[in-house]
Amino acid sequence: MPDQTIQQVEIDGGVVVGVDSSASSLRALLVAAEEARRRNTALHVVRAWSFRTAPRPADCPPNVVPSLDQFQQTVVEDTERIVSKKLGDHADLPVQIHVVHSPSPQALLSASKGADLLVVGHRGRGGFAGLMLGSVAEQCVRHAACPVLVVRPNV
C-alpha cells in the first residue's frame, strides 16, 4: 500500500529507486528491481511530485484546480500503473510505493538514509539536455547516505 501522507521517505533496508516516468527513470526501475532480486530485498519506488510535475486528475474539469488529495491520488495511481507495466506481476519481489509531495532530491536523500542502494536515472523530466547528470542524480551522488547507481536509458 502506498504511503500517501508522508513528506519524507523512511525505510529500513532495501533498494530505492526514483521514478518520474522519464525514460531514464523507467530504465532505473528495471535495474533497481534486478538489484533487489539479487540482494533478496525489498524494492522501494519513490515518486516525488509537485503541482508542476503531477499528472492532472482525469475527472477534474479544466477550469477547476484539483485539491492536494486529488493530485496525490492521481500520482499514486499513475505510479502503480508504471510499476505494474514495467515489472508485471512482480510476485517474486516485495515492492513498496512511496509517493511524496516534495522536491525529488529531498525525497530520495531521505530514503537513502535507510537504503542499501539508491538507483536513479541520469536525467529525468526537467533540466538541460546537455548535462552529463541531471541535477537530481548529481545531488544524490554527492549527498546520499548509501551507494548510488546512476542508470542511463537504452538508446
Side-chain angles (χ1 to χ4, degrees), residues 17 19 26-34 36-37 43 45 80-97:
V17 61
V19 172
L26 297 178
R27 174 96 171 103
L29 176 61
L30 295 174
V31 170
E34 185 57 36
R37 284 186 183 100
L43 175 64
V45 178
E80 289 172 341
R81 181 189 54 76
I82 289 168
V83 170
S84 177
K85 183 177 179 181
K86 292 309 271 186
L87 300 184
D89 178 14
H90 65 75
D92 63 327
L93 179 65
V95 176
Q96 293 183 358
I97 296 174

PDB file of all heavy atoms in Angstrom, residues 17 19 26-34 36-37 43 45 80-97:
ATOM      1  N   VAL A  17      14.472   3.316  -5.645  1.00  0.00           N
ATOM      2  CA  VAL A  17      14.576   3.863  -6.994  1.00  0.00           C
ATOM      3  C   VAL A  17      13.656   5.057  -7.117  1.00  0.00           C
ATOM      4  O   VAL A  17      12.528   5.044  -6.635  1.00  0.00           O
ATOM      5  CB  VAL A  17      14.261   2.806  -8.080  1.00  0.00           C
ATOM      6  CG1 VAL A  17      12.837   2.273  -7.958  1.00  0.00           C
ATOM      7  CG2 VAL A  17      14.512   3.353  -9.480  1.00  0.00           C
ATOM      8  N   VAL A  19      11.382   7.354  -9.437  1.00  0.00           N
ATOM      9  CA  VAL A  19      10.625   7.218 -10.686  1.00  0.00           C
ATOM     10  C   VAL A  19       9.869   8.506 -10.956  1.00  0.00           C
ATOM     11  O   VAL A  19       9.235   9.058 -10.054  1.00  0.00           O
ATOM     12  CB  VAL A  19       9.644   6.025 -10.588  1.00  0.00           C
ATOM     13  CG1 VAL A  19       8.710   5.976 -11.778  1.00  0.00           C
ATOM     14  CG2 VAL A  19      10.401   4.716 -10.460  1.00  0.00           C
ATOM     15  N   LEU A  26      12.495   4.994 -15.944  1.00  0.00           N
ATOM     16  CA  LEU A  26      11.881   3.699 -16.235  1.00  0.00           C
ATOM     17  C   LEU A  26      12.961   2.623 -16.376  1.00  0.00           C
ATOM     18  O   LEU A  26      12.789   1.502 -15.909  1.00  0.00           O
ATOM     19  CB  LEU A  26      11.025   3.790 -17.496  1.00  0.00           C
ATOM     20  CG  LEU A  26       9.841   4.751 -17.392  1.00  0.00           C
ATOM     21  CD1 LEU A  26       9.070   4.803 -18.714  1.00  0.00           C
ATOM     22  CD2 LEU A  26       8.933   4.406 -16.230  1.00  0.00           C
ATOM     23  N   ARG A  27      14.074   2.978 -16.994  1.00  0.00           N
ATOM     24  CA  ARG A  27      15.215   2.046 -17.073  1.00  0.00           C
ATOM     25  C   ARG A  27      15.781   1.802 -15.677  1.00  0.00           C
ATOM     26  O   ARG A  27      16.111   0.687 -15.318  1.00  0.00           O
ATOM     27  CB  ARG A  27      16.287   2.627 -17.996  1.00  0.00           C
ATOM     28  CG  ARG A  27      17.556   1.835 -18.049  1.00  0.00           C
ATOM     29  CD  ARG A  27      17.563   0.883 -19.226  1.00  0.00           C
ATOM     30  NE  ARG A  27      18.891   0.312 -19.357  1.00  0.00           N
ATOM     31  CZ  ARG A  27      19.198  -0.924 -18.954  1.00  0.00           C
ATOM     32  NH1 ARG A  27      18.282  -1.704 -18.451  1.00  0.00           N
ATOM     33  NH2 ARG A  27      20.422  -1.361 -19.076  1.00  0.00           N
ATOM     34  N   ALA A  28      15.861   2.863 -14.857  1.00  0.00           N
ATOM     35  CA  ALA A  28      16.342   2.727 -13.483  1.00  0.00           C
ATOM     36  C   ALA A  28      15.442   1.790 -12.686  1.00  0.00           C
ATOM     37  O   ALA A  28      15.927   1.002 -11.864  1.00  0.00           O
ATOM     38  CB  ALA A  28      16.424   4.098 -12.808  1.00  0.00           C
ATOM     39  N   LEU A  29      14.136   1.843 -12.921  1.00  0.00           N
ATOM     40  CA  LEU A  29      13.202   0.944 -12.240  1.00  0.00           C
ATOM     41  C   LEU A  29      13.528  -0.514 -12.539  1.00  0.00           C
ATOM     42  O   LEU A  29      13.556  -1.353 -11.633  1.00  0.00           O
ATOM     43  CB  LEU A  29      11.766   1.280 -12.654  1.00  0.00           C
ATOM     44  CG  LEU A  29      10.656   0.380 -12.124  1.00  0.00           C
ATOM     45  CD1 LEU A  29      10.607   0.395 -10.602  1.00  0.00           C
ATOM     46  CD2 LEU A  29       9.313   0.807 -12.720  1.00  0.00           C
ATOM     47  N   LEU A  30      13.793  -0.826 -13.799  1.00  0.00           N
ATOM     48  CA  LEU A  30      14.138  -2.205 -14.172  1.00  0.00           C
ATOM     49  C   LEU A  30      15.457  -2.652 -13.534  1.00  0.00           C
ATOM     50  O   LEU A  30      15.566  -3.761 -13.014  1.00  0.00           O
ATOM     51  CB  LEU A  30      14.211  -2.334 -15.694  1.00  0.00           C
ATOM     52  CG  LEU A  30      12.901  -2.116 -16.454  1.00  0.00           C
ATOM     53  CD1 LEU A  30      13.159  -2.121 -17.957  1.00  0.00           C
ATOM     54  CD2 LEU A  30      11.880  -3.162 -16.058  1.00  0.00           C
ATOM     55  N   VAL A  31      16.453  -1.777 -13.570  1.00  0.00           N
ATOM     56  CA  VAL A  31      17.757  -2.094 -12.974  1.00  0.00           C
ATOM     57  C   VAL A  31      17.624  -2.262 -11.460  1.00  0.00           C
ATOM     58  O   VAL A  31      18.176  -3.192 -10.871  1.00  0.00           O
ATOM     59  CB  VAL A  31      18.796  -1.010 -13.328  1.00  0.00           C
ATOM     60  CG1 VAL A  31      20.079  -1.189 -12.529  1.00  0.00           C
ATOM     61  CG2 VAL A  31      19.086  -1.024 -14.827  1.00  0.00           C
ATOM     62  N   ALA A  32      16.870  -1.387 -10.817  1.00  0.00           N
ATOM     63  CA  ALA A  32      16.672  -1.464  -9.370  1.00  0.00           C
ATOM     64  C   ALA A  32      15.947  -2.757  -8.981  1.00  0.00           C
ATOM     65  O   ALA A  32      16.282  -3.382  -7.970  1.00  0.00           O
ATOM     66  CB  ALA A  32      15.891  -0.249  -8.876  1.00  0.00           C
ATOM     67  N   ALA A  33      14.969  -3.162  -9.780  1.00  0.00           N
ATOM     68  CA  ALA A  33      14.252  -4.411  -9.499  1.00  0.00           C
ATOM     69  C   ALA A  33      15.211  -5.597  -9.573  1.00  0.00           C
ATOM     70  O   ALA A  33      15.174  -6.491  -8.713  1.00  0.00           O
ATOM     71  CB  ALA A  33      13.098  -4.592 -10.477  1.00  0.00           C
ATOM     72  N   GLU A  34      16.086  -5.596 -10.559  1.00  0.00           N
ATOM     73  CA  GLU A  34      17.074  -6.678 -10.677  1.00  0.00           C
ATOM     74  C   GLU A  34      18.045  -6.663  -9.497  1.00  0.00           C
ATOM     75  O   GLU A  34      18.390  -7.705  -8.945  1.00  0.00           O
ATOM     76  CB  GLU A  34      17.832  -6.563 -12.009  1.00  0.00           C
ATOM     77  CG  GLU A  34      18.784  -7.704 -12.255  1.00  0.00           C
ATOM     78  CD  GLU A  34      18.121  -9.081 -12.229  1.00  0.00           C
ATOM     79  OE1 GLU A  34      16.964  -9.208 -12.674  1.00  0.00           O
ATOM     80  OE2 GLU A  34      18.770 -10.035 -11.748  1.00  0.00           O
ATOM     81  N   ALA A  36      17.401  -5.545  -6.487  1.00  0.00           N
ATOM     82  CA  ALA A  36      16.653  -6.004  -5.310  1.00  0.00           C
ATOM     83  C   ALA A  36      16.524  -7.523  -5.319  1.00  0.00           C
ATOM     84  O   ALA A  36      16.652  -8.171  -4.268  1.00  0.00           O
ATOM     85  CB  ALA A  36      15.280  -5.336  -5.259  1.00  0.00           C
ATOM     86  N   ARG A  37      16.270  -8.093  -6.486  1.00  0.00           N
ATOM     87  CA  ARG A  37      16.187  -9.564  -6.589  1.00  0.00           C
ATOM     88  C   ARG A  37      17.534 -10.196  -6.235  1.00  0.00           C
ATOM     89  O   ARG A  37      17.581 -11.184  -5.510  1.00  0.00           O
ATOM     90  CB  ARG A  37      15.759  -9.976  -7.997  1.00  0.00           C
ATOM     91  CG  ARG A  37      14.302  -9.768  -8.271  1.00  0.00           C
ATOM     92  CD  ARG A  37      13.904 -10.337  -9.642  1.00  0.00           C
ATOM     93  NE  ARG A  37      12.519 -10.058  -9.907  1.00  0.00           N
ATOM     94  CZ  ARG A  37      12.080  -9.064 -10.681  1.00  0.00           C
ATOM     95  NH1 ARG A  37      12.945  -8.257 -11.290  1.00  0.00           N
ATOM     96  NH2 ARG A  37      10.795  -8.879 -10.868  1.00  0.00           N
ATOM     97  N   LEU A  43      12.082  -3.689  -2.887  1.00  0.00           N
ATOM     98  CA  LEU A  43      12.268  -2.568  -3.794  1.00  0.00           C
ATOM     99  C   LEU A  43      11.336  -1.454  -3.340  1.00  0.00           C
ATOM    100  O   LEU A  43      10.128  -1.659  -3.199  1.00  0.00           O
ATOM    101  CB  LEU A  43      11.924  -2.965  -5.227  1.00  0.00           C
ATOM    102  CG  LEU A  43      11.960  -1.838  -6.266  1.00  0.00           C
ATOM    103  CD1 LEU A  43      13.374  -1.284  -6.404  1.00  0.00           C
ATOM    104  CD2 LEU A  43      11.438  -2.332  -7.607  1.00  0.00           C
ATOM    105  N   VAL A  45       9.924   2.093  -4.438  1.00  0.00           N
ATOM    106  CA  VAL A  45       9.748   3.011  -5.557  1.00  0.00           C
ATOM    107  C   VAL A  45       9.323   4.361  -4.985  1.00  0.00           C
ATOM    108  O   VAL A  45       8.277   4.457  -4.348  1.00  0.00           O
ATOM    109  CB  VAL A  45       8.694   2.488  -6.545  1.00  0.00           C
ATOM    110  CG1 VAL A  45       8.488   3.481  -7.682  1.00  0.00           C
ATOM    111  CG2 VAL A  45       9.092   1.109  -7.074  1.00  0.00           C
ATOM    112  N   GLU A  80       1.541   3.418  -9.612  1.00  0.00           N
ATOM    113  CA  GLU A  80       1.170   1.996  -9.580  1.00  0.00           C
ATOM    114  C   GLU A  80       1.069   1.433 -10.992  1.00  0.00           C
ATOM    115  O   GLU A  80       1.509   0.317 -11.260  1.00  0.00           O
ATOM    116  CB  GLU A  80      -0.146   1.808  -8.832  1.00  0.00           C
ATOM    117  CG  GLU A  80      -0.021   2.039  -7.343  1.00  0.00           C
ATOM    118  CD  GLU A  80      -1.357   2.036  -6.616  1.00  0.00           C
ATOM    119  OE1 GLU A  80      -2.425   2.207  -7.273  1.00  0.00           O
ATOM    120  OE2 GLU A  80      -1.344   1.890  -5.381  1.00  0.00           O
ATOM    121  N   ARG A  81       0.507   2.223 -11.913  1.00  0.00           N
ATOM    122  CA  ARG A  81       0.388   1.794 -13.310  1.00  0.00           C
ATOM    123  C   ARG A  81       1.773   1.615 -13.936  1.00  0.00           C
ATOM    124  O   ARG A  81       2.038   0.621 -14.618  1.00  0.00           O
ATOM    125  CB  ARG A  81      -0.419   2.831 -14.099  1.00  0.00           C
ATOM    126  CG  ARG A  81      -0.626   2.469 -15.566  1.00  0.00           C
ATOM    127  CD  ARG A  81      -1.230   3.621 -16.357  1.00  0.00           C
ATOM    128  NE  ARG A  81      -0.482   4.866 -16.243  1.00  0.00           N
ATOM    129  CZ  ARG A  81       0.668   5.124 -16.870  1.00  0.00           C
ATOM    130  NH1 ARG A  81       1.240   4.216 -17.635  1.00  0.00           N
ATOM    131  NH2 ARG A  81       1.267   6.290 -16.721  1.00  0.00           N
ATOM    132  N   ILE A  82       2.673   2.561 -13.690  1.00  0.00           N
ATOM    133  CA  ILE A  82       4.037   2.478 -14.224  1.00  0.00           C
ATOM    134  C   ILE A  82       4.737   1.223 -13.709  1.00  0.00           C
ATOM    135  O   ILE A  82       5.337   0.468 -14.473  1.00  0.00           O
ATOM    136  CB  ILE A  82       4.849   3.738 -13.860  1.00  0.00           C
ATOM    137  CG1 ILE A  82       4.340   4.941 -14.646  1.00  0.00           C
ATOM    138  CG2 ILE A  82       6.347   3.528 -14.094  1.00  0.00           C
ATOM    139  CD1 ILE A  82       4.884   6.281 -14.154  1.00  0.00           C
ATOM    140  N   VAL A  83       4.661   0.992 -12.412  1.00  0.00           N
ATOM    141  CA  VAL A  83       5.325  -0.174 -11.812  1.00  0.00           C
ATOM    142  C   VAL A  83       4.744  -1.465 -12.374  1.00  0.00           C
ATOM    143  O   VAL A  83       5.475  -2.384 -12.755  1.00  0.00           O
ATOM    144  CB  VAL A  83       5.225  -0.134 -10.270  1.00  0.00           C
ATOM    145  CG1 VAL A  83       5.681  -1.444  -9.652  1.00  0.00           C
ATOM    146  CG2 VAL A  83       6.048   1.036  -9.726  1.00  0.00           C
ATOM    147  N   SER A  84       3.424  -1.540 -12.459  1.00  0.00           N
ATOM    148  CA  SER A  84       2.772  -2.740 -12.989  1.00  0.00           C
ATOM    149  C   SER A  84       3.163  -2.981 -14.446  1.00  0.00           C
ATOM    150  O   SER A  84       3.457  -4.116 -14.843  1.00  0.00           O
ATOM    151  CB  SER A  84       1.258  -2.585 -12.865  1.00  0.00           C
ATOM    152  OG  SER A  84       0.616  -3.694 -13.433  1.00  0.00           O
ATOM    153  N   LYS A  85       3.190  -1.919 -15.243  1.00  0.00           N
ATOM    154  CA  LYS A  85       3.538  -2.052 -16.661  1.00  0.00           C
ATOM    155  C   LYS A  85       4.991  -2.494 -16.845  1.00  0.00           C
ATOM    156  O   LYS A  85       5.288  -3.341 -17.682  1.00  0.00           O
ATOM    157  CB  LYS A  85       3.302  -0.719 -17.375  1.00  0.00           C
ATOM    158  CG  LYS A  85       3.560  -0.764 -18.855  1.00  0.00           C
ATOM    159  CD  LYS A  85       3.244   0.562 -19.520  1.00  0.00           C
ATOM    160  CE  LYS A  85       3.540   0.502 -20.997  1.00  0.00           C
ATOM    161  NZ  LYS A  85       3.270   1.782 -21.654  1.00  0.00           N
ATOM    162  N   LYS A  86       5.907  -1.930 -16.060  1.00  0.00           N
ATOM    163  CA  LYS A  86       7.334  -2.236 -16.233  1.00  0.00           C
ATOM    164  C   LYS A  86       7.763  -3.539 -15.558  1.00  0.00           C
ATOM    165  O   LYS A  86       8.638  -4.229 -16.055  1.00  0.00           O
ATOM    166  CB  LYS A  86       8.199  -1.086 -15.706  1.00  0.00           C
ATOM    167  CG  LYS A  86       8.099   0.190 -16.521  1.00  0.00           C
ATOM    168  CD  LYS A  86       8.307  -0.012 -17.994  1.00  0.00           C
ATOM    169  CE  LYS A  86       9.719   0.091 -18.445  1.00  0.00           C
ATOM    170  NZ  LYS A  86       9.876   0.022 -19.902  1.00  0.00           N
ATOM    171  N   LEU A  87       7.156  -3.858 -14.404  1.00  0.00           N
ATOM    172  CA  LEU A  87       7.596  -5.031 -13.645  1.00  0.00           C
ATOM    173  C   LEU A  87       6.629  -6.204 -13.727  1.00  0.00           C
ATOM    174  O   LEU A  87       6.933  -7.283 -13.226  1.00  0.00           O
ATOM    175  CB  LEU A  87       7.813  -4.670 -12.174  1.00  0.00           C
ATOM    176  CG  LEU A  87       8.849  -3.585 -11.878  1.00  0.00           C
ATOM    177  CD1 LEU A  87       9.005  -3.417 -10.371  1.00  0.00           C
ATOM    178  CD2 LEU A  87      10.185  -3.894 -12.527  1.00  0.00           C
ATOM    179  N   GLY A  88       5.468  -6.008 -14.323  1.00  0.00           N
ATOM    180  CA  GLY A  88       4.484  -7.084 -14.410  1.00  0.00           C
ATOM    181  C   GLY A  88       3.958  -7.446 -13.037  1.00  0.00           C
ATOM    182  O   GLY A  88       3.799  -6.592 -12.165  1.00  0.00           O
ATOM    183  N   ASP A  89       3.724  -8.722 -12.829  1.00  0.00           N
ATOM    184  CA  ASP A  89       3.147  -9.219 -11.574  1.00  0.00           C
ATOM    185  C   ASP A  89       4.090  -9.012 -10.396  1.00  0.00           C
ATOM    186  O   ASP A  89       3.668  -8.723  -9.290  1.00  0.00           O
ATOM    187  CB  ASP A  89       2.813 -10.704 -11.739  1.00  0.00           C
ATOM    188  CG  ASP A  89       2.248 -11.335 -10.486  1.00  0.00           C
ATOM    189  OD1 ASP A  89       1.859 -10.611  -9.554  1.00  0.00           O
ATOM    190  OD2 ASP A  89       2.196 -12.567 -10.443  1.00  0.00           O
ATOM    191  N   HIS A  90       5.384  -9.132 -10.601  1.00  0.00           N
ATOM    192  CA  HIS A  90       6.459  -8.999  -9.613  1.00  0.00           C
ATOM    193  C   HIS A  90       6.153  -9.724  -8.286  1.00  0.00           C
ATOM    194  O   HIS A  90       6.520  -9.242  -7.218  1.00  0.00           O
ATOM    195  CB  HIS A  90       6.886  -7.544  -9.399  1.00  0.00           C
ATOM    196  CG  HIS A  90       5.854  -6.635  -8.791  1.00  0.00           C
ATOM    197  ND1 HIS A  90       5.513  -6.669  -7.473  1.00  0.00           N
ATOM    198  CD2 HIS A  90       5.119  -5.647  -9.343  1.00  0.00           C
ATOM    199  CE1 HIS A  90       4.599  -5.746  -7.232  1.00  0.00           C
ATOM    200  NE2 HIS A  90       4.353  -5.117  -8.358  1.00  0.00           N
ATOM    201  N   ALA A  91       5.506 -10.903  -8.358  1.00  0.00           N
ATOM    202  CA  ALA A  91       5.188 -11.671  -7.142  1.00  0.00           C
ATOM    203  C   ALA A  91       6.457 -12.121  -6.416  1.00  0.00           C
ATOM    204  O   ALA A  91       6.432 -12.350  -5.207  1.00  0.00           O
ATOM    205  CB  ALA A  91       4.326 -12.875  -7.503  1.00  0.00           C
ATOM    206  N   ASP A  92       7.557 -12.224  -7.160  1.00  0.00           N
ATOM    207  CA  ASP A  92       8.821 -12.660  -6.575  1.00  0.00           C
ATOM    208  C   ASP A  92       9.571 -11.532  -5.879  1.00  0.00           C
ATOM    209  O   ASP A  92      10.641 -11.742  -5.329  1.00  0.00           O
ATOM    210  CB  ASP A  92       9.713 -13.257  -7.663  1.00  0.00           C
ATOM    211  CG  ASP A  92      10.083 -12.243  -8.738  1.00  0.00           C
ATOM    212  OD1 ASP A  92       9.247 -11.362  -9.032  1.00  0.00           O
ATOM    213  OD2 ASP A  92      11.194 -12.327  -9.280  1.00  0.00           O
ATOM    214  N   LEU A  93       9.012 -10.322  -5.898  1.00  0.00           N
ATOM    215  CA  LEU A  93       9.727  -9.150  -5.397  1.00  0.00           C
ATOM    216  C   LEU A  93       8.799  -8.275  -4.560  1.00  0.00           C
ATOM    217  O   LEU A  93       7.803  -7.777  -5.068  1.00  0.00           O
ATOM    218  CB  LEU A  93      10.256  -8.342  -6.590  1.00  0.00           C
ATOM    219  CG  LEU A  93      11.018  -7.064  -6.296  1.00  0.00           C
ATOM    220  CD1 LEU A  93      12.320  -7.361  -5.559  1.00  0.00           C
ATOM    221  CD2 LEU A  93      11.310  -6.331  -7.599  1.00  0.00           C
ATOM    222  N   PRO A  94       9.125  -8.095  -3.271  1.00  0.00           N
ATOM    223  CA  PRO A  94       8.304  -7.170  -2.483  1.00  0.00           C
ATOM    224  C   PRO A  94       8.564  -5.728  -2.924  1.00  0.00           C
ATOM    225  O   PRO A  94       9.695  -5.265  -2.922  1.00  0.00           O
ATOM    226  CB  PRO A  94       8.773  -7.404  -1.037  1.00  0.00           C
ATOM    227  CG  PRO A  94      10.074  -8.107  -1.133  1.00  0.00           C
ATOM    228  CD  PRO A  94      10.170  -8.739  -2.489  1.00  0.00           C
ATOM    229  N   VAL A  95       7.493  -5.042  -3.345  1.00  0.00           N
ATOM    230  CA  VAL A  95       7.591  -3.672  -3.843  1.00  0.00           C
ATOM    231  C   VAL A  95       6.722  -2.775  -2.969  1.00  0.00           C
ATOM    232  O   VAL A  95       5.564  -3.075  -2.713  1.00  0.00           O
ATOM    233  CB  VAL A  95       7.120  -3.576  -5.312  1.00  0.00           C
ATOM    234  CG1 VAL A  95       7.137  -2.131  -5.789  1.00  0.00           C
ATOM    235  CG2 VAL A  95       7.980  -4.445  -6.206  1.00  0.00           C
ATOM    236  N   GLN A  96       7.317  -1.681  -2.525  1.00  0.00           N
ATOM    237  CA  GLN A  96       6.574  -0.666  -1.786  1.00  0.00           C
ATOM    238  C   GLN A  96       6.671   0.639  -2.556  1.00  0.00           C
ATOM    239  O   GLN A  96       7.763   1.033  -2.984  1.00  0.00           O
ATOM    240  CB  GLN A  96       7.124  -0.489  -0.380  1.00  0.00           C
ATOM    241  CG  GLN A  96       6.909  -1.702   0.495  1.00  0.00           C
ATOM    242  CD  GLN A  96       7.406  -1.478   1.913  1.00  0.00           C
ATOM    243  OE1 GLN A  96       7.949  -0.439   2.251  1.00  0.00           O
ATOM    244  NE2 GLN A  96       7.219  -2.481   2.743  1.00  0.00           N
ATOM    245  N   ILE A  97       5.528   1.293  -2.715  1.00  0.00           N
ATOM    246  CA  ILE A  97       5.484   2.571  -3.435  1.00  0.00           C
ATOM    247  C   ILE A  97       5.323   3.694  -2.423  1.00  0.00           C
ATOM    248  O   ILE A  97       4.453   3.637  -1.560  1.00  0.00           O
ATOM    249  CB  ILE A  97       4.342   2.578  -4.458  1.00  0.00           C
ATOM    250  CG1 ILE A  97       4.592   1.511  -5.527  1.00  0.00           C
ATOM    251  CG2 ILE A  97       4.201   3.955  -5.092  1.00  0.00           C
ATOM    252  CD1 ILE A  97       3.465   1.337  -6.511  1.00  0.00           C
TER     253      ILE A  97
END
